PDB file of all heavy atoms in Angstrom:
ATOM      1  N   ALA A   1      85.320 126.117  92.109  1.00 94.00           N
ATOM      2  CA  ALA A   1      84.136 126.941  92.094  1.00 94.00           C
ATOM      3  C   ALA A   1      83.788 127.559  93.406  1.00 94.00           C
ATOM      4  O   ALA A   1      83.333 128.668  93.497  1.00 94.00           O
ATOM      5  CB  ALA A   1      83.023 126.102  91.569  1.00 94.00           C
ATOM      6  N   CYS A   2      84.059 126.767  94.537  1.00 96.00           N
ATOM      7  CA  CYS A   2      83.458 127.200  95.750  1.00 96.00           C
ATOM      8  C   CYS A   2      84.461 127.391  96.947  1.00 96.00           C
ATOM      9  O   CYS A   2      84.030 127.495  98.028  1.00 96.00           O
ATOM     10  CB  CYS A   2      82.461 126.155  96.221  1.00 96.00           C
ATOM     11  SG  CYS A   2      81.089 125.951  95.066  1.00 96.00           S
ATOM     12  N   THR A   3      85.766 127.325  96.622  1.00 94.00           N
ATOM     13  CA  THR A   3      86.743 127.595  97.714  1.00 94.00           C
ATOM     14  C   THR A   3      87.862 128.548  97.210  1.00 94.00           C
ATOM     15  O   THR A   3      87.918 128.774  96.009  1.00 94.00           O
ATOM     16  CB  THR A   3      87.376 126.296  98.196  1.00 94.00           C
ATOM     17  OG1 THR A   3      88.091 125.645  97.068  1.00 94.00           O
ATOM     18  CG2 THR A   3      86.361 125.326  98.718  1.00 94.00           C
ATOM     19  N   GLU A   4      88.654 129.012  98.079  1.00 92.00           N
ATOM     20  CA  GLU A   4      89.833 129.781  97.849  1.00 92.00           C
ATOM     21  C   GLU A   4      91.022 129.105  98.340  1.00 92.00           C
ATOM     22  O   GLU A   4      91.005 128.302  99.247  1.00 92.00           O
ATOM     23  CB  GLU A   4      89.695 131.192  98.524  1.00 92.00           C
ATOM     24  CG  GLU A   4      88.416 131.974  98.110  1.00 92.00           C
ATOM     25  CD  GLU A   4      88.450 132.499  96.704  1.00 92.00           C
ATOM     26  OE1 GLU A   4      89.531 132.478  96.091  1.00 92.00           O
ATOM     27  OE2 GLU A   4      87.377 132.839  96.181  1.00 92.00           O
ATOM     28  N   PRO A   5      92.283 129.501  97.808  1.00 90.00           N
ATOM     29  CA  PRO A   5      93.459 128.939  98.356  1.00 90.00           C
ATOM     30  C   PRO A   5      93.521 129.128  99.873  1.00 90.00           C
ATOM     31  O   PRO A   5      93.253 130.228 100.371  1.00 90.00           O
ATOM     32  CB  PRO A   5      94.582 129.747  97.660  1.00 90.00           C
ATOM     33  CG  PRO A   5      93.942 130.110  96.337  1.00 90.00           C
ATOM     34  CD  PRO A   5      92.500 130.406  96.691  1.00 90.00           C
ATOM     35  N   GLY A   6      93.933 128.131 100.594  1.00 91.00           N
ATOM     36  CA  GLY A   6      94.037 128.183 102.109  1.00 91.00           C
ATOM     37  C   GLY A   6      92.764 127.754 102.810  1.00 91.00           C
ATOM     38  O   GLY A   6      92.766 127.565 104.005  1.00 91.00           O
ATOM     39  N   ASP A   7      91.621 127.624 102.056  1.00 95.00           N
ATOM     40  CA  ASP A   7      90.441 127.057 102.675  1.00 95.00           C
ATOM     41  C   ASP A   7      90.603 125.622 103.160  1.00 95.00           C
ATOM     42  O   ASP A   7      91.410 124.865 102.580  1.00 95.00           O
ATOM     43  CB  ASP A   7      89.251 127.183 101.726  1.00 95.00           C
ATOM     44  CG  ASP A   7      88.655 128.555 101.608  1.00 95.00           C
ATOM     45  OD1 ASP A   7      89.149 129.447 102.299  1.00 95.00           O
ATOM     46  OD2 ASP A   7      87.686 128.781 100.769  1.00 95.00           O
ATOM     47  N   LEU A   8      89.762 125.260 104.092  1.00 97.00           N
ATOM     48  CA  LEU A   8      89.783 123.908 104.613  1.00 97.00           C
ATOM     49  C   LEU A   8      88.564 123.140 104.179  1.00 97.00           C
ATOM     50  O   LEU A   8      87.408 123.574 104.339  1.00 97.00           O
ATOM     51  CB  LEU A   8      89.781 123.873 106.145  1.00 97.00           C
ATOM     52  CG  LEU A   8      89.667 122.483 106.872  1.00 97.00           C
ATOM     53  CD1 LEU A   8      90.892 121.641 106.548  1.00 97.00           C
ATOM     54  CD2 LEU A   8      89.539 122.706 108.397  1.00 97.00           C
ATOM     55  N   ILE A   9      88.776 121.980 103.461  1.00 98.00           N
ATOM     56  CA  ILE A   9      87.747 121.118 103.032  1.00 98.00           C
ATOM     57  C   ILE A   9      87.710 119.861 103.852  1.00 98.00           C
ATOM     58  O   ILE A   9      88.769 119.238 104.003  1.00 98.00           O
ATOM     59  CB  ILE A   9      87.890 120.743 101.555  1.00 98.00           C
ATOM     60  CG1 ILE A   9      87.817 122.008 100.657  1.00 98.00           C
ATOM     61  CG2 ILE A   9      86.806 119.789 101.067  1.00 98.00           C
ATOM     62  CD1 ILE A   9      89.160 122.581 100.260  1.00 98.00           C
ATOM     63  N   VAL A  10      86.542 119.516 104.418  1.00 98.00           N
ATOM     64  CA  VAL A  10      86.459 118.277 105.174  1.00 98.00           C
ATOM     65  C   VAL A  10      85.685 117.252 104.297  1.00 98.00           C
ATOM     66  O   VAL A  10      84.581 117.588 103.833  1.00 98.00           O
ATOM     67  CB  VAL A  10      85.697 118.479 106.455  1.00 98.00           C
ATOM     68  CG1 VAL A  10      85.498 117.144 107.203  1.00 98.00           C
ATOM     69  CG2 VAL A  10      86.615 119.352 107.413  1.00 98.00           C
ATOM     70  N   ASP A  11      86.231 116.034 104.116  1.00 97.00           N
ATOM     71  CA  ASP A  11      85.589 114.967 103.448  1.00 97.00           C
ATOM     72  C   ASP A  11      85.342 113.832 104.431  1.00 97.00           C
ATOM     73  O   ASP A  11      86.314 113.113 104.757  1.00 97.00           O
ATOM     74  CB  ASP A  11      86.471 114.561 102.206  1.00 97.00           C
ATOM     75  CG  ASP A  11      85.687 113.489 101.367  1.00 97.00           C
ATOM     76  OD1 ASP A  11      84.760 112.784 101.877  1.00 97.00           O
ATOM     77  OD2 ASP A  11      86.077 113.387 100.135  1.00 97.00           O
ATOM     78  N   PRO A  12      84.123 113.605 104.844  1.00 97.00           N
ATOM     79  CA  PRO A  12      83.824 112.587 105.789  1.00 97.00           C
ATOM     80  C   PRO A  12      83.787 111.146 105.259  1.00 97.00           C
ATOM     81  O   PRO A  12      83.720 110.149 106.047  1.00 97.00           O
ATOM     82  CB  PRO A  12      82.452 112.959 106.345  1.00 97.00           C
ATOM     83  CG  PRO A  12      81.824 113.675 105.235  1.00 97.00           C
ATOM     84  CD  PRO A  12      82.897 114.450 104.512  1.00 97.00           C
ATOM     85  N   PHE A  13      83.867 111.008 103.925  1.00 95.00           N
ATOM     86  CA  PHE A  13      83.859 109.671 103.319  1.00 95.00           C
ATOM     87  C   PHE A  13      85.033 109.731 102.234  1.00 95.00           C
ATOM     88  O   PHE A  13      84.829 109.660 101.099  1.00 95.00           O
ATOM     89  CB  PHE A  13      82.512 109.416 102.625  1.00 95.00           C
ATOM     90  CG  PHE A  13      81.314 109.539 103.538  1.00 95.00           C
ATOM     91  CD1 PHE A  13      80.618 110.738 103.506  1.00 95.00           C
ATOM     92  CD2 PHE A  13      80.962 108.581 104.439  1.00 95.00           C
ATOM     93  CE1 PHE A  13      79.521 110.914 104.411  1.00 95.00           C
ATOM     94  CE2 PHE A  13      79.895 108.715 105.271  1.00 95.00           C
ATOM     95  CZ  PHE A  13      79.133 109.929 105.231  1.00 95.00           C
ATOM     96  N   PHE A  14      86.202 109.685 102.842  1.00 95.00           N
ATOM     97  CA  PHE A  14      87.414 110.118 102.028  1.00 95.00           C
ATOM     98  C   PHE A  14      87.811 109.105 100.952  1.00 95.00           C
ATOM     99  O   PHE A  14      88.371 109.396  99.935  1.00 95.00           O
ATOM    100  CB  PHE A  14      88.603 110.266 103.022  1.00 95.00           C
ATOM    101  CG  PHE A  14      89.687 111.137 102.538  1.00 95.00           C
ATOM    102  CD1 PHE A  14      89.460 112.421 102.088  1.00 95.00           C
ATOM    103  CD2 PHE A  14      91.012 110.637 102.509  1.00 95.00           C
ATOM    104  CE1 PHE A  14      90.484 113.263 101.648  1.00 95.00           C
ATOM    105  CE2 PHE A  14      92.036 111.448 102.105  1.00 95.00           C
ATOM    106  CZ  PHE A  14      91.800 112.738 101.633  1.00 95.00           C
ATOM    107  N   GLY A  15      87.533 107.719 101.218  1.00 91.00           N
ATOM    108  CA  GLY A  15      87.874 106.802 100.245  1.00 91.00           C
ATOM    109  C   GLY A  15      89.343 106.762  99.908  1.00 91.00           C
ATOM    110  O   GLY A  15      90.202 106.824 100.836  1.00 91.00           O
ATOM    111  N   THR A  16      89.556 106.851  98.564  1.00 89.00           N
ATOM    112  CA  THR A  16      91.020 106.836  98.183  1.00 89.00           C
ATOM    113  C   THR A  16      91.591 108.231  97.962  1.00 89.00           C
ATOM    114  O   THR A  16      92.690 108.365  97.377  1.00 89.00           O
ATOM    115  CB  THR A  16      91.163 106.065  96.823  1.00 89.00           C
ATOM    116  OG1 THR A  16      90.257 106.539  95.942  1.00 89.00           O
ATOM    117  CG2 THR A  16      90.922 104.539  97.013  1.00 89.00           C
ATOM    118  N   GLY A  17      90.890 109.222  98.529  1.00 91.00           N
ATOM    119  CA  GLY A  17      91.542 110.573  98.607  1.00 91.00           C
ATOM    120  C   GLY A  17      91.491 111.465  97.473  1.00 91.00           C
ATOM    121  O   GLY A  17      92.354 112.399  97.350  1.00 91.00           O
ATOM    122  N   THR A  18      90.490 111.362  96.642  1.00 93.00           N
ATOM    123  CA  THR A  18      90.390 112.330  95.501  1.00 93.00           C
ATOM    124  C   THR A  18      90.294 113.759  95.946  1.00 93.00           C
ATOM    125  O   THR A  18      91.008 114.668  95.473  1.00 93.00           O
ATOM    126  CB  THR A  18      89.184 111.964  94.607  1.00 93.00           C
ATOM    127  OG1 THR A  18      89.346 110.652  94.107  1.00 93.00           O
ATOM    128  CG2 THR A  18      89.176 112.964  93.375  1.00 93.00           C
ATOM    129  N   THR A  19      89.469 113.973  96.994  1.00 95.00           N
ATOM    130  CA  THR A  19      89.338 115.325  97.511  1.00 95.00           C
ATOM    131  C   THR A  19      90.649 115.935  98.004  1.00 95.00           C
ATOM    132  O   THR A  19      90.991 117.012  97.805  1.00 95.00           O
ATOM    133  CB  THR A  19      88.298 115.370  98.662  1.00 95.00           C
ATOM    134  OG1 THR A  19      87.045 114.870  98.095  1.00 95.00           O
ATOM    135  CG2 THR A  19      88.115 116.787  99.192  1.00 95.00           C
ATOM    136  N   GLY A  20      91.349 115.108  98.772  1.00 94.00           N
ATOM    137  CA  GLY A  20      92.653 115.538  99.296  1.00 94.00           C
ATOM    138  C   GLY A  20      93.649 115.819  98.213  1.00 94.00           C
ATOM    139  O   GLY A  20      94.478 116.767  98.308  1.00 94.00           O
ATOM    140  N   ALA A  21      93.653 114.949  97.234  1.00 91.00           N
ATOM    141  CA  ALA A  21      94.657 115.127  96.105  1.00 91.00           C
ATOM    142  C   ALA A  21      94.417 116.471  95.368  1.00 91.00           C
ATOM    143  O   ALA A  21      95.323 117.176  95.085  1.00 91.00           O
ATOM    144  CB  ALA A  21      94.600 113.987  95.162  1.00 91.00           C
ATOM    145  N   VAL A  22      93.092 116.718  95.075  1.00 92.00           N
ATOM    146  CA  VAL A  22      92.767 117.968  94.322  1.00 92.00           C
ATOM    147  C   VAL A  22      92.998 119.164  95.203  1.00 92.00           C
ATOM    148  O   VAL A  22      93.459 120.266  94.728  1.00 92.00           O
ATOM    149  CB  VAL A  22      91.420 117.904  93.752  1.00 92.00           C
ATOM    150  CG1 VAL A  22      90.974 119.150  93.154  1.00 92.00           C
ATOM    151  CG2 VAL A  22      91.226 116.744  92.798  1.00 92.00           C
ATOM    152  N   ALA A  23      92.674 119.005  96.507  1.00 92.00           N
ATOM    153  CA  ALA A  23      92.897 120.151  97.402  1.00 92.00           C
ATOM    154  C   ALA A  23      94.334 120.473  97.476  1.00 92.00           C
ATOM    155  O   ALA A  23      94.724 121.720  97.467  1.00 92.00           O
ATOM    156  CB  ALA A  23      92.440 119.816  98.870  1.00 92.00           C
ATOM    157  N   LYS A  24      95.204 119.526  97.584  1.00 90.00           N
ATOM    158  CA  LYS A  24      96.640 119.754  97.605  1.00 90.00           C
ATOM    159  C   LYS A  24      97.131 120.471  96.343  1.00 90.00           C
ATOM    160  O   LYS A  24      97.859 121.387  96.325  1.00 90.00           O
ATOM    161  CB  LYS A  24      97.371 118.490  97.799  1.00 90.00           C
ATOM    162  CG  LYS A  24      98.905 118.645  97.926  1.00 90.00           C
ATOM    163  CD  LYS A  24      99.552 117.304  98.181  1.00 90.00           C
ATOM    164  CE  LYS A  24     101.099 117.462  98.286  1.00 90.00           C
ATOM    165  NZ  LYS A  24     101.790 116.120  98.559  1.00 90.00           N
ATOM    166  N   LEU A  25      96.637 119.986  95.205  1.00 88.00           N
ATOM    167  CA  LEU A  25      96.985 120.512  93.872  1.00 88.00           C
ATOM    168  C   LEU A  25      96.615 122.015  93.800  1.00 88.00           C
ATOM    169  O   LEU A  25      97.348 122.815  93.219  1.00 88.00           O
ATOM    170  CB  LEU A  25      96.329 119.734  92.794  1.00 88.00           C
ATOM    171  CG  LEU A  25      96.417 120.300  91.376  1.00 88.00           C
ATOM    172  CD1 LEU A  25      97.900 120.165  90.838  1.00 88.00           C
ATOM    173  CD2 LEU A  25      95.488 119.619  90.419  1.00 88.00           C
ATOM    174  N   LEU A  26      95.450 122.364  94.392  1.00 89.00           N
ATOM    175  CA  LEU A  26      94.928 123.714  94.186  1.00 89.00           C
ATOM    176  C   LEU A  26      95.295 124.627  95.426  1.00 89.00           C
ATOM    177  O   LEU A  26      94.804 125.807  95.498  1.00 89.00           O
ATOM    178  CB  LEU A  26      93.386 123.697  94.099  1.00 89.00           C
ATOM    179  CG  LEU A  26      92.848 123.160  92.748  1.00 89.00           C
ATOM    180  CD1 LEU A  26      91.327 123.028  92.806  1.00 89.00           C
ATOM    181  CD2 LEU A  26      93.320 123.951  91.564  1.00 89.00           C
ATOM    182  N   GLY A  27      96.100 124.156  96.314  1.00 87.00           N
ATOM    183  CA  GLY A  27      96.533 124.974  97.392  1.00 87.00           C
ATOM    184  C   GLY A  27      95.514 125.217  98.482  1.00 87.00           C
ATOM    185  O   GLY A  27      95.498 126.112  99.259  1.00 87.00           O
ATOM    186  N   ARG A  28      94.619 124.217  98.616  1.00 91.00           N
ATOM    187  CA  ARG A  28      93.601 124.191  99.749  1.00 91.00           C
ATOM    188  C   ARG A  28      94.089 123.212 100.783  1.00 91.00           C
ATOM    189  O   ARG A  28      94.994 122.350 100.470  1.00 91.00           O
ATOM    190  CB  ARG A  28      92.273 123.756  99.215  1.00 91.00           C
ATOM    191  CG  ARG A  28      91.454 124.837  98.588  1.00 91.00           C
ATOM    192  CD  ARG A  28      91.908 125.354  97.233  1.00 91.00           C
ATOM    193  NE  ARG A  28      90.863 126.078  96.553  1.00 91.00           N
ATOM    194  CZ  ARG A  28      91.124 126.893  95.560  1.00 91.00           C
ATOM    195  NH1 ARG A  28      92.343 127.084  95.058  1.00 91.00           N
ATOM    196  NH2 ARG A  28      90.147 127.591  94.932  1.00 91.00           N
ATOM    197  N   HIS A  29      93.465 123.255 101.930  1.00 94.00           N
ATOM    198  CA  HIS A  29      93.763 122.272 102.999  1.00 94.00           C
ATOM    199  C   HIS A  29      92.646 121.276 103.072  1.00 94.00           C
ATOM    200  O   HIS A  29      91.511 121.548 102.674  1.00 94.00           O
ATOM    201  CB  HIS A  29      93.957 122.929 104.332  1.00 94.00           C
ATOM    202  CG  HIS A  29      95.117 123.898 104.360  1.00 94.00           C
ATOM    203  ND1 HIS A  29      96.469 123.442 104.322  1.00 94.00           N
ATOM    204  CD2 HIS A  29      95.218 125.281 104.376  1.00 94.00           C
ATOM    205  CE1 HIS A  29      97.254 124.501 104.356  1.00 94.00           C
ATOM    206  NE2 HIS A  29      96.514 125.641 104.405  1.00 94.00           N
ATOM    207  N   PHE A  30      92.899 120.100 103.623  1.00 96.00           N
ATOM    208  CA  PHE A  30      91.884 119.088 103.747  1.00 96.00           C
ATOM    209  C   PHE A  30      92.003 118.314 105.019  1.00 96.00           C
ATOM    210  O   PHE A  30      93.128 118.211 105.648  1.00 96.00           O
ATOM    211  CB  PHE A  30      92.007 118.114 102.556  1.00 96.00           C
ATOM    212  CG  PHE A  30      93.152 117.185 102.640  1.00 96.00           C
ATOM    213  CD1 PHE A  30      93.101 115.936 103.295  1.00 96.00           C
ATOM    214  CD2 PHE A  30      94.414 117.490 102.099  1.00 96.00           C
ATOM    215  CE1 PHE A  30      94.221 115.102 103.339  1.00 96.00           C
ATOM    216  CE2 PHE A  30      95.501 116.709 102.127  1.00 96.00           C
ATOM    217  CZ  PHE A  30      95.397 115.443 102.814  1.00 96.00           C
ATOM    218  N   ILE A  31      90.845 117.804 105.412  1.00 97.00           N
ATOM    219  CA  ILE A  31      90.858 116.702 106.555  1.00 97.00           C
ATOM    220  C   ILE A  31      89.979 115.674 105.915  1.00 97.00           C
ATOM    221  O   ILE A  31      88.765 115.874 105.582  1.00 97.00           O
ATOM    222  CB  ILE A  31      90.252 117.253 107.817  1.00 97.00           C
ATOM    223  CG1 ILE A  31      91.122 118.296 108.481  1.00 97.00           C
ATOM    224  CG2 ILE A  31      90.087 116.094 108.860  1.00 97.00           C
ATOM    225  CD1 ILE A  31      90.613 118.910 109.774  1.00 97.00           C
ATOM    226  N   GLY A  32      90.497 114.421 105.785  1.00 96.00           N
ATOM    227  CA  GLY A  32      89.753 113.349 105.321  1.00 96.00           C
ATOM    228  C   GLY A  32      89.439 112.378 106.416  1.00 96.00           C
ATOM    229  O   GLY A  32      90.307 112.172 107.262  1.00 96.00           O
ATOM    230  N   ILE A  33      88.275 111.841 106.415  1.00 96.00           N
ATOM    231  CA  ILE A  33      87.821 110.856 107.419  1.00 96.00           C
ATOM    232  C   ILE A  33      87.459 109.530 106.698  1.00 96.00           C
ATOM    233  O   ILE A  33      86.618 109.579 105.725  1.00 96.00           O
ATOM    234  CB  ILE A  33      86.632 111.341 108.274  1.00 96.00           C
ATOM    235  CG1 ILE A  33      87.047 112.694 108.892  1.00 96.00           C
ATOM    236  CG2 ILE A  33      86.255 110.384 109.343  1.00 96.00           C
ATOM    237  CD1 ILE A  33      85.761 113.393 109.462  1.00 96.00           C
ATOM    238  N   GLU A  34      88.055 108.468 107.070  1.00 94.00           N
ATOM    239  CA  GLU A  34      87.842 107.118 106.424  1.00 94.00           C
ATOM    240  C   GLU A  34      87.971 106.039 107.443  1.00 94.00           C
ATOM    241  O   GLU A  34      88.985 105.955 108.152  1.00 94.00           O
ATOM    242  CB  GLU A  34      88.805 107.029 105.273  1.00 94.00           C
ATOM    243  CG  GLU A  34      88.764 105.676 104.553  1.00 94.00           C
ATOM    244  CD  GLU A  34      87.373 105.362 104.036  1.00 94.00           C
ATOM    245  OE1 GLU A  34      86.774 106.203 103.378  1.00 94.00           O
ATOM    246  OE2 GLU A  34      86.851 104.238 104.334  1.00 94.00           O
ATOM    247  N   ARG A  35      86.987 105.124 107.419  1.00 90.00           N
ATOM    248  CA  ARG A  35      87.017 104.075 108.392  1.00 90.00           C
ATOM    249  C   ARG A  35      87.800 102.802 107.972  1.00 90.00           C
ATOM    250  O   ARG A  35      88.130 101.966 108.770  1.00 90.00           O
ATOM    251  CB  ARG A  35      85.573 103.760 108.837  1.00 90.00           C
ATOM    252  CG  ARG A  35      84.812 102.859 107.787  1.00 90.00           C
ATOM    253  CD  ARG A  35      83.458 102.515 108.298  1.00 90.00           C
ATOM    254  NE  ARG A  35      82.886 101.388 107.576  1.00 90.00           N
ATOM    255  CZ  ARG A  35      81.662 100.894 107.812  1.00 90.00           C
ATOM    256  NH1 ARG A  35      80.980 101.451 108.731  1.00 90.00           N
ATOM    257  NH2 ARG A  35      81.212  99.880 107.080  1.00 90.00           N
ATOM    258  N   GLU A  36      88.025 102.685 106.622  1.00 89.00           N
ATOM    259  CA  GLU A  36      88.612 101.441 106.116  1.00 89.00           C
ATOM    260  C   GLU A  36      90.135 101.703 105.917  1.00 89.00           C
ATOM    261  O   GLU A  36      90.515 102.543 105.155  1.00 89.00           O
ATOM    262  CB  GLU A  36      88.005 101.124 104.728  1.00 89.00           C
ATOM    263  CG  GLU A  36      86.463 100.855 104.737  1.00 89.00           C
ATOM    264  CD  GLU A  36      86.114  99.592 105.522  1.00 89.00           C
ATOM    265  OE1 GLU A  36      86.894  98.655 105.583  1.00 89.00           O
ATOM    266  OE2 GLU A  36      84.979  99.525 105.982  1.00 89.00           O
ATOM    267  N   GLU A  37      90.911 100.899 106.631  1.00 91.00           N
ATOM    268  CA  GLU A  37      92.360 101.076 106.623  1.00 91.00           C
ATOM    269  C   GLU A  37      92.943 100.848 105.227  1.00 91.00           C
ATOM    270  O   GLU A  37      93.870 101.631 104.821  1.00 91.00           O
ATOM    271  CB  GLU A  37      93.040 100.064 107.622  1.00 91.00           C
ATOM    272  CG  GLU A  37      94.528 100.293 107.708  1.00 91.00           C
ATOM    273  CD  GLU A  37      95.073  99.238 108.727  1.00 91.00           C
ATOM    274  OE1 GLU A  37      94.367  98.422 109.191  1.00 91.00           O
ATOM    275  OE2 GLU A  37      96.332  99.340 108.923  1.00 91.00           O
ATOM    276  N   LYS A  38      92.367  99.976 104.444  1.00 89.00           N
ATOM    277  CA  LYS A  38      92.903  99.725 103.079  1.00 89.00           C
ATOM    278  C   LYS A  38      92.785 100.941 102.231  1.00 89.00           C
ATOM    279  O   LYS A  38      93.643 101.209 101.390  1.00 89.00           O
ATOM    280  CB  LYS A  38      92.174  98.508 102.431  1.00 89.00           C
ATOM    281  CG  LYS A  38      90.688  98.696 102.314  1.00 89.00           C
ATOM    282  CD  LYS A  38      90.089  97.485 101.658  1.00 89.00           C
ATOM    283  CE  LYS A  38      88.595  97.638 101.469  1.00 89.00           C
ATOM    284  NZ  LYS A  38      87.989  96.378 100.867  1.00 89.00           N
ATOM    285  N   TYR A  39      91.722 101.750 102.392  1.00 89.00           N
ATOM    286  CA  TYR A  39      91.583 102.977 101.604  1.00 89.00           C
ATOM    287  C   TYR A  39      92.494 104.097 102.089  1.00 89.00           C
ATOM    288  O   TYR A  39      93.043 104.858 101.303  1.00 89.00           O
ATOM    289  CB  TYR A  39      90.128 103.446 101.644  1.00 89.00           C
ATOM    290  CG  TYR A  39      89.063 102.521 101.113  1.00 89.00           C
ATOM    291  CD1 TYR A  39      87.778 102.443 101.570  1.00 89.00           C
ATOM    292  CD2 TYR A  39      89.428 101.575 100.111  1.00 89.00           C
ATOM    293  CE1 TYR A  39      86.867 101.590 101.044  1.00 89.00           C
ATOM    294  CE2 TYR A  39      88.553 100.674  99.561  1.00 89.00           C
ATOM    295  CZ  TYR A  39      87.179 100.716  99.985  1.00 89.00           C
ATOM    296  OH  TYR A  39      86.312  99.828  99.527  1.00 89.00           O
TER     297      TYR A  39
END
């Protein structure tokens, strides 16, 4: 709804990476920030 291919999405609470996975699928870029190594 709100981005175009090639846009950069930043997720400061990345968790297990849903934002990154969908960004990759849709041809967007991402930067995820997560403090827990296990996630």
Side-chain angles (χ1 to χ4, degrees):
C2 298
T3 64
E4 302 290 345
D7 280 358
L8 174 63
I9 298 99
V10 175
D11 184 336
F13 307 98
F14 203 56
T16 52
T18 302
T19 301
V22 176
K24 182 177 179 180
L25 174 68
L26 290 175
R28 278 70 166 165
H29 297 291
F30 71 90
I31 294 176
I33 305 169
E34 176 54 52
R35 74 178 200 180
E36 303 290 334
E37 184 179 5
K38 61 181 179 180
Y39 298 151

